[in-house]
Every structure is written in structure tokens, then in C-alpha cells.
Amino acid sequence: MSVISFIEHYQRSIKKNEDDESRLLHCLEKLSNLTVKVSDLEATGIGRTVNSLRKKPGKVGDTARGLVTSWMKLVENTANEDHSGEEKETIEHNGYAEMTSGDKEMSSPENCSEKYNNGLGETVKVKEEKSKSRHSHKDKKAVKEEPGTRHSRSDRKGEESKGHESRHSNHHHKRSDSSHKSRSKDHKDSDSRSKSKRSHEETKIKTELEESDTYDPSDFEGLKIKEERLSPAEVCKYDPEVPAKVKKEKESSHKDKKEKRKAEESKSKHKGESSSKKPKLETERSSSERKERHDKHSKSSTTKSKSSEKIKKEVKKEKIDSPETNTMNGNAGPSFEEALGNLDSAPPLKKSKDKKKSKKDKTSSSSSSKTSSSTKNSNSSFLPLPLPRTEDLASLLDQPTLTYKPLPSIPQKSSKSQLSDSNMFSFSDVIKNKNQRTKVYSGTKSALTGVPTLLEICQKVLLENIDAIEHVGSAPFEVLEPVFSKANASQLLRIQHHNDHFYEELDDLWRTLVETEFKSAIKQEDECWCDVYERSMIERNTKMSELAAKIKANTEARQAPQRKTMLAFEHSLAKPPRTIRKQQIKNGTANGSLPRNVARPTYSEPGPSGLSSSKESTLARTVGLLREGPSTAIKSKKRPAPLMQKTLQLMKSSYRR
Amino acid sequence: MTDTQPIEKNCVGPDAEYIKLISSDKKEFLVKRSLAEAYSGTIKRMLGGPTIFAEGEPNQIEFSHISSPVLEVICKYLEHQAEVEVIEQNGGEIPEFVIPLEIAVNVMLAADFLEC
């Protein structure tokens, strides 16, 4: 165990002198020179420590990275050798998780995880493809893998956020440190939680590793295997039945078995370790394993897109079905598959969060986003994903899905159309069009039913210009009938005037006109309909005029008399006011003479015209009074008004009394 | 209107590509035989009837009651029909065929006669 002690010593020194570059370099070199075993790495958790140094600038970072990768390779190799490597991996995974929780960036763990290839052919290939794909962006499989991992990562992240202990959460990568830290805290709370978190971290690490460009084929292999192994361990709870259902056309059938075994082993190991702290390498390895598994699965799934789709659907279903299997079980076999499934689901989610890279990323992200949505649902429900599902998802994600089927959308149109078909003017029609954007047609509205013939075109032209029709010539009436039928009386009259040869035919048209306009008209014997029309027209007009005159008279009579200026006493003697009249009677000048305006010598000087005129008018008045003298004399005794008479009598009587 | 001599030659014989329509005022209009037969029933019957043109004789139809402006409009209409068919296939908007008002009646008569 001296190696461990050395490791711990260096670990301490690293932690103490984080800022001292030379010291860190020294420690790292020493560590690299040490022949460490996987168990040592796990026990000391040095992996985590070194991982934290990866991000350091300069030589320190490089050395740390190299060290991490070499350690991950080591873990892979050991994992390949024996099945118990699963446990180690799980432990590593846990340790990884812890490490990552402490670290901000998980790039190094990912690299390490990539290295952890378990020698499974497929995983290796997948990884290689992955690397190739990343660089070439042409490898479909690689694309699939990436999305798969991302998916798993994303899944893990989501789960972690919710604190799920499900596999999904395990596989979710949370890049945020806080999440990691929180997860790490949760880990301490319970084994399962810790496991899940570790898986998260591991996946995170893996994703980080993936993103980094330091890919080695061997790394991929190790990563894949470890991923698969880890997933079951992480999830802790896998129904034996679930994987059985899910497992379908997995090409990696043998792989699954291996994974199962590994998962079992890892699980057991995982359970055994209660301490939250795990060696860094372990976590790295586990993450890489997860990655690898995922990649493997994704690869296998990509090979059969259709199958994967089916599986995906099934996976979804299963995910939804088993939301409660989150407790840590000893069933590593099914759980492994589920874990793989989780892995697959996680990457899509992650993928959505991941960026650029290549088309694969884009395609994967697009597909992953879709799958992630489904997986998210499943993740939230703590469903241990069966392997086939995840694989399908991963495969779907990785591969630019040629046969992608979008999420089932509500067939609104079809249903509505069906409804409309059944009922011509149904309520549905109205409602259907209510919210739909009504089509806007620009341009002239021409209800063209087919192409019009020349004849029709001509008729249309003539219809528009009936007034211009004069002599038709030798045109047959049948051709012109549609045009004439639309003519009104005046037009028809004009046409008739020009085309007497149409007399009979036009008469029919007259008839229709008469019937439409004068419903009560009666055709007399020697009348043609044209004459009937004329006659009835005239009658109508006369009626109208009579009525108009009557109304006019009525209105005039009712009208309030307007203020008019009229000359008074034009032809009669001017009537003087009463007082003056009395005087006249008294003086005997009641009957005035005629006015003398005409021939009167103008005695008054031409002064102001108003004065002279007023004098003359008074003179005229007096003359008038004089003229009317005798008559006025008779009338001189004026009787007061009746009421006045009464009052006077009363007064007299009262006075007398 | 067609332009060159070679097309004139095509009127010769029963399998000519073009046919000649002659108006009342002796104006000659050359139209594609396929078009004319497709869109004018009368012309189709004329060309396919018992009086098949002998070899060496140009395929021509004389319309003694149709003046040249009217016949011109008719020829343009045949072209228009062909264009419309193409447009209909491609799903475009059919342009309107305009007829001058002065000769609209005569065109209508001719159209009635030619069944187009």
C-alpha cells in the first residue's frame, strides 16, 4: 500500500500548493511515474485531484490531462480484463462524480473515460467513429454516438436537478458546478443519490471529454464499456422485466450481457462503497464507461434506424411505465440495460445543451431535443430506461434520421376536414375557419371555371358594352341572346331600333321586361309587348306626376307663411290710430281726401327728405280721414269692447251707488 | 404570324405543320395545325373531312365571311389557348384575352362559326 501512501502524499501536496506551478508539475510527474493500480486510484481519489489540475494553464494542465488519460486507460484495461472491473468502474464513476463535483470543468474526466475501453469491439468502433465523426462529421454512427452521450448527459442533468435517483439522473450531466455540488451533497445523503450523482458527474465528465478534441480510439472503447457498466450501477433499480421488454434488436446482445454482468458487479461494488469520496479516476472511468456504453448503444441503434425507432417508442413507453423503480436493487442485469437506456436518454438532453461541433451535433441536437423531451418526461418519472430504448434514442440522435417521425401532432386539419365533409355548412366549418388565417387573394376576382371560349369572351365583352351595340349585321340572334337578355328597356329599345329583323325575338325580351317591371300590366290584343311596356311606363309616369303635384300642394299649404313685406292701404284710405281718429271725429275731419302725392306743389323746401315725407304722409292721412268723413261720423260713436262695456257699467253703477 | 418561307412549305401536304387561314380580304394567316385542330372544332372537321388535301397542295381554308382583323383575333386566341394550357399545368395565373370592342360582334360570329 505504499503506492497509495505516495499517491496520498502527492495528492495532499497538490491540494496545498495549487498555485505553485513548479510544485504541481513535480507532483504530477511523480504521480505519472508511479505504477498505480486502479484500486489505488479509487482508494485515494487522486483522479479527482488531478482532474482539477487539468484546467490549469501551461504545462501543469497538459501534464494533468495526460495523467488523467493514462489513468483512464489503465482503468479501461483493468475493466476489460475482468468483469469486476465494473465495480471498479462504478466506484470510479462515483469517484469521478465526486471529483467532478469538486471540479468545475469535467474535461479531463471525460478524456479519461474515453480511454476506458473495455475492449468491446463495438464500443471501440463506436468510439472511433465518434472521434472520426467529430472530425469528419460524416460518420453517421459517430453522430449517433455523440447525441447519445449528450442525451444521456442531458438526461442526467435533468434528473440531477430534480434530485432523482433514477438512472436518468445518473446519466445526466450537469455542467453547472452548483448542480454538481448540490448533487455531491445529496450523494452524501444516500447511496443511491450519490450513485446517481456520480453517474451524472461521470457523464458530465464524459461529455466534457467528448467535447475535447483529444480522442483516442482506445479511449472510446473504454468509455463506452464503462458507460454501460456504470449506468446500471448508478440507477440502482432496474426491473428485470423492463430490460427484457426493451431489449429488442440490440446488436450488442452479447455486449448487453457483458454489460449486465458488469453492471451487477459495479452495482455491488457501488453499494459496498458508502463513502461519497471516490477516486478521481474511478469517476472518470465510470463516466467514460458510461459514455462508451452509450456510444455502443447508440452505434448499435444507429445500425438499425427503424428498429431503433421502434425501440425508442417502446423505451418511451417503458420509461413512462416504470417511474418508481429508482431504488437501488441488486438486479444488475436489467438495471444495466436500463442504465444504458438512461444513458441514451441523457445524451439527447445533453446534446440539446451542447453546441456546435458539426452537423452531427446539429442533427443529433435536433433529434435529441425531440428525444430529450420524451426522455425528460421519462426522466422525471424515475424510469429506469431499458437499454433498447436508450439505444434507440441514441441511435436516433446520432444518425441523421432519414425515417424520423415527428412527435404525433394533433391531426387538426384532418379531423376538421372530416367534419366539414360530412356536413356542408356545419358548425365545425365555421369554427374551423374562425382561427385559421383566411387566405388573401390579390388581384382581380375572376371566377374562371376553365378556359372561356372565344365566343364566351366576346359575349362578355358585349355585355359590358351593350350601349355600344347598334347594327348587329348578320349575326344570328341565338349568339346575341345572352347579351340582349341583360339589356334594360332603353337599351333594348335602341337595339330594336337598329335591328328590326330581331323584332320577334326582341318582343319576347320585352315581355320578360314587362313582367318583371309591371306586374299588373295587361297586354291588349293588338299590342306587342314592347307597346305594353311603353304604355305601362307612361301610366306609371303620369301617376307619379300626379302624386307629386298633390304632395307638393299639401306641403305648400302646410308650410308656415313666410314673412312678407306688403304695402298697406294701397287702395283704400289709410286708417289712422285711435287717438287721432277721435280727434278727427271731434274735429270733423274724419273722411280724408285722396292722397295728393302725384300732383302737389312742393311747398316744403328740399330739406331732409325724411321730414318732408313724413309731413306728406300725415297730410295724406288727414286727407284720408276727411274723405271718409261722413262714414266716420256715423262710426264716430265708438263702442268699447264688450268686456270693457261691462266694466264700465259696473263702474258706473258702483260710482252711482 | 409566321415569318419565313420554310414554314410556308410546311403547309404543303396533309401532314403539314402549319395551315393557312385566308380571310375575306385575301389575307393569309398561318397557324399551327395542331393548335387549330385542338381548339377549333370547325377547322378540325374541315381538315379531317372527306376533302383531304392532296399532296402538294397547301392546307388552307378560306373564310369569305371573316375579315382579316377578326381572323387575326382568332389566330391570337388559338395561341392564347395553348399558353393557357401550359400555365394551367404549372399552376399560374391565366392572362386575360382582350378583344377590341369594335369588332367584338364579328369576332363573336366567327367564334360561333368556328366553335372555338
Side-chain angles (χ1 to χ4, degrees):
Chain A
M1 298 304 287
S2 62
V3 180
I4 286 179
S5 61
F6 273 121
I7 291 166
E8 285 173 354
H9 166 76
Y10 289 124
Q11 192 176 17
R12 260 178 268 127
S13 74
I14 286 167
K15 285 180 183 171
K16 281 181 190 173
N17 310 302
E18 282 193 359
D19 298 332
D20 189 356
E21 260 203 357
S22 60
R23 183 82 192 135
L24 289 172
L25 268 172
H26 171 77
C27 292
L28 287 170
E29 286 169 5
K30 292 284 181 182
L31 280 168
S32 58
N33 293 336
L34 280 175
T35 51
V36 293
K37 293 183 206 170
V38 174
S39 58
D40 300 335
L41 297 168
E42 288 175 359
T44 56
I46 187 69
R48 223 177 309 130
T49 329
V50 174
N51 196 39
S52 64
L53 297 176
R54 253 187 330 135
K55 296 294 171 167
K56 295 273 179 180
K59 213 180 174 186
V60 176
D62 295 339
T63 328
R65 251 177 264 130
L67 193 58
V68 164
T69 49
S70 64
W71 281 345
M72 284 176 72
K73 244 185 184 173
L74 190 70
V75 173
E76 283 177 10
N77 294 335
T78 50
N80 286 337
E81 287 164 10
D82 53 346
H83 296 298
S84 63
E86 283 180 0
E87 296 173 355
K88 287 183 186 174
E89 291 162 7
T90 54
I91 294 163
E92 290 166 0
H93 173 75
N94 294 332
Y96 230 56
E98 292 172 0
M99 175 181 68
T100 55
S101 63
D103 301 332
K104 304 279 175 169
E105 290 166 342
M106 315 298 289
S107 57
S108 57
E110 289 179 353
N111 287 330
C112 294
S113 64
E114 287 173 3
K115 283 182 182 176
Y116 298 147
N117 280 331
N118 290 330
L120 292 173
E122 294 185 13
T123 57
V124 176
K125 286 175 194 174
V126 177
K127 279 278 176 168
E128 288 176 5
E129 290 169 356
K130 241 185 174 180
S131 59
K132 287 176 191 174
S133 65
R134 288 195 191 173
H135 299 292
S136 63
H137 308 311
K138 288 178 185 177
D139 195 336
K140 287 186 177 180
K141 291 183 180 178
V143 174
K144 236 184 164 185
E145 292 166 10
E146 283 182 5
T149 53
R150 293 218 176 93
H151 176 69
S152 63
R153 272 182 242 156
S154 56
D155 288 343
R156 288 169 197 169
K157 264 194 185 180
E159 285 184 350
E160 285 184 357
S161 60
K162 294 178 184 178
H164 295 314
E165 304 175 353
S166 64
R167 234 188 301 171
H168 293 285
S169 62
N170 292 339
H171 295 284
H172 281 311
H173 272 306
K174 270 197 180 176
R175 304 213 169 215
S176 61
D177 303 328
S178 60
S179 65
H180 272 291
K181 284 174 186 169
S182 64
R183 285 178 216 158
S184 60
K185 286 175 190 171
D186 293 339
H187 277 306
K188 287 167 188 173
D189 296 339
S190 63
D191 291 348
S192 59
R193 268 192 175 183
S194 61
K195 286 177 187 175
S196 63
K197 285 180 184 174
R198 284 171 206 157
S199 63
H200 277 289
E201 293 168 2
E202 286 179 353
T203 53
K204 200 181 180 187
I205 295 162
K206 282 181 187 176
T207 54
E208 290 175 358
L209 285 169
E210 283 180 6
E211 289 184 345
S212 66
D213 291 332
T214 59
Y215 292 119
D216 299 332
S218 59
D219 293 345
F220 287 127
E221 293 175 17
L223 279 168
K224 280 187 187 175
I225 294 162
K226 290 197 178 171
E227 281 178 340
E228 290 165 356
R229 285 179 200 168
L230 286 166
S231 57
E234 294 164 1
V235 176
C236 316
K237 194 183 4 171
Y238 296 102
D239 294 334
E241 297 175 355
V242 172
K245 289 179 204 170
V246 177
K247 210 174 183 183
K248 296 211 181 166
E249 321 154 13
K250 296 300 169 182
E251 303 129 358
S252 61
S253 58
H254 75 283
K255 272 195 240 170
D256 295 338
K257 287 176 193 171
K258 264 192 181 177
E259 292 167 354
K260 279 184 186 175
R261 271 176 271 165
K262 288 174 185 174
E264 288 173 1
E265 292 175 354
S266 60
K267 246 193 177 179
S268 59
K269 224 186 180 182
H270 186 69
K271 275 187 177 175
E273 296 177 357
S274 58
S275 62
S276 60
K277 247 199 171 180
K278 298 287 174 180
K280 185 179 174 186
L281 285 172
E282 289 175 352
T283 57
E284 291 177 356
R285 279 183 222 152
S286 60
S287 63
S288 65
E289 286 174 357
R290 249 183 283 159
K291 237 192 192 177
E292 291 169 357
R293 268 181 235 141
H294 182 71
D295 296 338
K296 209 168 48 168
H297 285 293
S298 61
K299 184 191 174 184
S300 60
S301 55
T302 51
T303 55
K304 293 182 184 179
S305 60
K306 288 183 183 177
S307 64
S308 62
E309 284 176 4
K310 288 179 191 173
I311 292 162
K312 183 187 177 182
K313 286 175 188 173
E314 291 173 344
V315 168
K316 283 180 187 175
K317 288 177 189 173
E318 291 180 3
K319 283 182 189 177
I320 297 160
D321 292 340
S322 58
E324 298 171 1
T325 57
N326 222 3
T327 61
M328 296 288 286
N329 295 336
N331 301 328
S335 62
F336 184 73
E337 291 173 357
E338 291 171 347
L340 287 169
N342 287 334
L343 276 170
D344 294 337
S345 61
L349 289 172
K350 268 274 169 118
K351 271 189 182 177
S352 59
K353 295 173 187 176
D354 296 344
K355 44 281 184 185
K356 53 263 185 186
K357 280 274 160 118
S358 58
K359 290 187 222 177
K360 298 171 207 166
D361 296 343
K362 286 176 191 175
T363 55
S364 60
S365 62
S366 63
S367 55
S368 66
S369 62
K370 286 171 184 172
T371 55
S372 66
S373 62
S374 62
T375 54
K376 269 175 186 171
N377 295 332
S378 60
N379 290 335
S380 62
S381 57
F382 297 93
L383 291 173
L385 295 172
L387 273 177
R389 283 180 197 161
T390 55
E391 285 184 13
D392 297 333
L393 288 165
S395 65
L396 287 165
L397 293 165
D398 291 336
Q399 195 182 38
T401 55
L402 304 168
T403 60
Y404 179 78
K405 289 180 187 176
L407 291 172
S409 61
I410 302 164
Q412 291 177 353
K413 283 185 182 178
S414 62
S415 64
K416 282 182 181 175
S417 63
Q418 285 170 10
L419 280 169
S420 61
D421 289 340
S422 60
N423 305 321
M424 277 300 292
F425 304 100
S426 64
F427 185 68
S428 62
D429 287 336
V430 174
I431 294 300
K432 169 173 82 169
N433 294 326
K434 183 189 172 191
N435 295 325
Q436 283 180 1
R437 190 171 289 178
T438 55
K439 294 179 186 176
V440 176
Y441 293 105
S442 64
T444 57
K445 284 187 196 176
S446 57
L448 285 174
T449 56
V451 182
T453 64
L454 192 59
L455 195 65
E456 288 169 3
I457 295 169
C458 294
Q459 281 170 351
K460 192 174 146 198
V461 168
L462 286 172
L463 266 173
E464 291 164 5
N465 301 284
I466 293 176
D467 293 328
I469 297 171
E470 290 185 357
H471 291 283
V472 180
S474 58
F477 184 78
E478 296 81 25
V479 173
L480 294 162
E481 188 180 350
V483 178
F484 292 157
S485 58
K486 300 279 169 63
N488 62 12
S490 60
Q491 288 166 347
L492 203 57
L493 195 63
R494 213 171 60 79
I495 290 163
Q496 192 167 12
H497 172 70
H498 288 288
N499 304 294
D500 279 335
H501 51 278
F502 286 148
Y503 187 80
E504 287 170 4
E505 293 93 345
L506 291 175
D507 211 44
D508 289 329
L509 291 176
W510 278 119
R511 181 178 179 167
T512 52
L513 270 176
V514 166
E515 282 166 0
T516 51
E517 278 218 47
F518 311 106
K519 279 156 194 169
S520 62
I522 302 162
K523 180 181 183 290
Q524 287 162 15
E525 274 200 12
D526 53 347
E527 250 187 348
C528 64
W529 284 103
C530 175
D531 295 336
V532 172
Y533 188 90
E534 271 191 59
R535 180 170 55 82
S536 35
M537 198 55 146
I538 290 162
E539 284 172 4
R540 182 195 274 182
N541 287 341
T542 49
K543 262 193 195 174
M544 279 292 291
S545 57
E546 284 171 10
L547 279 170
K550 276 188 192 173
I551 289 161
K552 196 178 178 183
N554 280 344
T555 51
E556 278 181 5
R558 271 189 252 125
Q559 244 179 9
Q562 284 179 355
R563 208 166 168 183
K564 286 180 185 176
T565 310
M566 294 197 323
L567 277 170
F569 303 113
E570 265 182 275
H571 306 291
S572 62
L573 204 63
K575 185 180 168 186
R578 285 188 191 179
T579 52
I580 295 165
R581 186 71 182 143
K582 282 179 185 173
Q583 294 290 330
Q584 281 178 346
I585 293 162
K586 190 179 168 186
N587 296 335
T589 60
N591 297 328
S593 62
L594 286 161
R596 288 161 58 184
N597 290 340
V598 178
R600 188 200 292 184
T602 57
Y603 291 107
S604 63
E605 289 176 1
S609 60
L611 283 170
S612 60
S613 63
S614 61
K615 281 180 186 174
E616 287 175 6
S617 61
T618 50
L619 278 169
R621 255 188 256 141
T622 51
V623 165
L625 274 168
L626 289 166
R627 240 194 294 134
E628 291 177 1
S631 60
T632 58
I634 297 166
K635 294 176 191 175
S636 61
K637 191 177 184 182
K638 209 175 184 184
R639 271 194 171 189
L643 200 60
M644 192 59 187
Q645 284 176 7
K646 283 183 186 174
T647 50
L648 283 169
Q649 271 181 349
L650 270 172
M651 282 170 68
K652 282 178 186 174
S653 60
S654 67
Y655 179 71
R656 280 177 192 164
R657 287 181 190 171
Chain B
M1 290 281 282
T2 56
D3 34 14
T4 59
Q5 290 292 331
I7 296 173
E8 224 28 68
K9 283 183 194 170
N10 286 346
C11 281
V12 178
D15 296 329
E17 192 189 347
Y18 284 82
I19 56 169
K20 203 189 284 188
L21 304 175
I22 302 170
S23 66
S24 59
D25 47 351
K26 308 297 175 191
K27 290 236 172 107
E28 296 175 352
F29 296 84
L30 287 158
V31 289
K32 273 194 182 166
R33 185 179 181 141
S34 53
L35 274 183
E37 286 188 349
Y39 298 112
S40 169
T42 315
I43 290 176
K44 189 177 176 182
R45 267 185 263 118
M46 280 180 177
L47 293 173
T51 60
I52 296 168
F53 288 105
E55 290 270 352
E57 273 186 34
N59 290 336
Q60 61 186 35
I61 302 171
E62 287 185 22
F63 297 107
S64 56
H65 57 280
I66 300 177
S67 64
S68 57
V70 176
L71 200 53
E72 187 179 352
V73 170
I74 286 170
C75 292
K76 282 185 180 167
Y77 176 76
L78 294 174
E79 280 180 37
H80 177 262
Q81 284 289 77
E83 285 173 12
V84 160
E85 201 169 303
V86 171
I87 290 168
E88 263 186 352
Q89 283 173 7
N90 299 340
E93 203 175 305
I94 300 168
E96 204 182 323
F97 185 70
V98 179
I99 300 168
L101 188 61
E102 303 81 29
I103 56 169
V105 181
N106 294 333
V107 170
M108 190 163 72
L109 291 172
D112 179 55
F113 170 71
L114 291 171
E115 292 176 24
C116 69

